[in-house]
Amino acid sequence: MTVATAPVPPAIAQEMPAPDGPLSRARPGRERIMAAIRTAAVTEFSLHGLKGTSTQAIAARAGLTKPQLHYYIAGKEELYEELLMQVLHAWKVVFSFEDASDPATVLGDYIRKKLDHAFDNPEISRIFTREVLDGGRNLDRYWPNAQAWTQKKVDIINGWIARGQMRPLDARLLLMHIWAMTQSYADYAIQTRVMLGLPPEAPIDREPIARELVAFVLGGCGIKA
């Protein structure tokens, strides 16, 4: 598995310092090894968090010795912070409200993107979840930007409410509910398969889930699909 990242426009890069570290400075001859380290680190961090992950475990999963790993990275903390910031940058780009004119289309697309990310990149989502459960100490420089990004969405939703395009509600809580419902399919993938009667690692048909969730949210907002 690889970290899915999208190109970051200049305006976004100005809002938050771009992640810097061994992964962003890799030269062409090192890219294959750095990709293996990245993939191994994502798996280990998603399973054990920063505290529970050792550089020995990352090295073994990447097919390297520990001394070889430290030739490419200074330590797990630098690697973890860089991966975490790359994830958050990708979220900022992928989960924006691209067109604010029609709430049914915007919210429907937003929910589907969040679901797709949960299904396609569960380990990435779990890194963030584990960081939050561990106290979120590595997210201090992320929260102000997250609040600003969220406020933009809140302002758009409040505009829809003011124009009578959806019922009055707390826009911030609406977004948090959507995050919780979509993130569940990454953090509780095992429970999902059990409740759907599927064997472990079996593919999940996401389309019925997406349809139901979009209809549920739009209906609750008083929006006609």
Side-chain angles (χ1 to χ4, degrees), residues 46 91 114-127 129 179-193 204:
S46 71
W91 283 4
K114 293 286 289 182
L115 272 176
D116 284 343
H117 190 277
F119 280 118
D120 296 335
N121 304 280
E123 290 182 325
I124 296 298
S125 294
R126 290 173 199 147
I127 289 179
T129 299
W179 297 342
M181 288 186 289
T182 52
Q183 185 79 13
S184 172
Y185 290 97
D187 295 345
Y188 298 99
I190 294 176
Q191 175 180 278
T192 299
R193 288 185 172 87
I204 298 173

Side-chain angles (χ1 to χ4, degrees), residues 13-174:
Q14 292 172 5
E15 292 179 8
M16 181 175 180
D20 180 43
L23 301 184
S24 57
R25 297 193 298 267
R27 297 187 298 274
R30 297 158 51 100
E31 287 180 356
R32 181 180 58 82
I33 294 176
M34 292 310 305
I37 293 173
R38 181 204 305 248
T39 301
V42 167
T43 299
E44 289 297 322
F45 288 139
S46 71
L47 290 172
H48 309 295
L50 176 59
K51 290 183 178 179
T53 296
S54 67
T55 52
Q56 179 62 56
I58 295 174
R61 189 176 290 274
L64 302 170
T65 64
K66 189 174 179 179
Q68 286 174 327
L69 177 69
H70 284 291
Y71 176 80
Y72 293 95
I73 67 168
K76 68 176 184 177
E77 291 80 10
E78 178 187 9
L79 182 60
Y80 178 81
E81 181 177 0
E82 185 178 349
L83 286 170
L84 189 60
M85 289 303 109
Q86 287 183 347
V87 169
L88 300 176
H89 268 278
W91 283 4
K92 166 62 176 70
V93 176
V94 174
F95 301 139
S96 61
F97 283 5
E98 297 178 359
D99 179 6
S101 60
D102 177 27
T105 300
V106 173
L107 289 177
D109 289 347
Y110 183 70
I111 292 167
R112 286 180 175 276
K113 287 178 181 178
K114 293 286 289 182
L115 272 176
D116 284 343
H117 190 277
F119 280 118
D120 296 335
N121 304 280
E123 290 182 325
I124 296 298
S125 294
R126 290 173 199 147
I127 289 179
F128 180 81
T129 299
R130 286 190 177 277
E131 173 60 31
V132 171
L133 292 175
D134 287 342
R137 287 178 291 275
N138 294 285
L139 293 170
D140 286 348
R141 71 186 180 110
Y142 164 71
W143 292 131
N145 293 282
Q147 290 173 318
W149 300 337
T150 300
Q151 185 60 50
K152 292 179 181 178
K153 293 182 176 67
V154 168
D155 292 342
I156 290 171
I157 294 172
N158 285 338
W160 294 332
I161 295 172
R163 292 190 294 273
Q165 293 176 278
M166 58 186 291
R167 74 171 180 84
L169 49 73
D170 188 317
R172 202 173 304 273
L173 292 182
L174 170 63

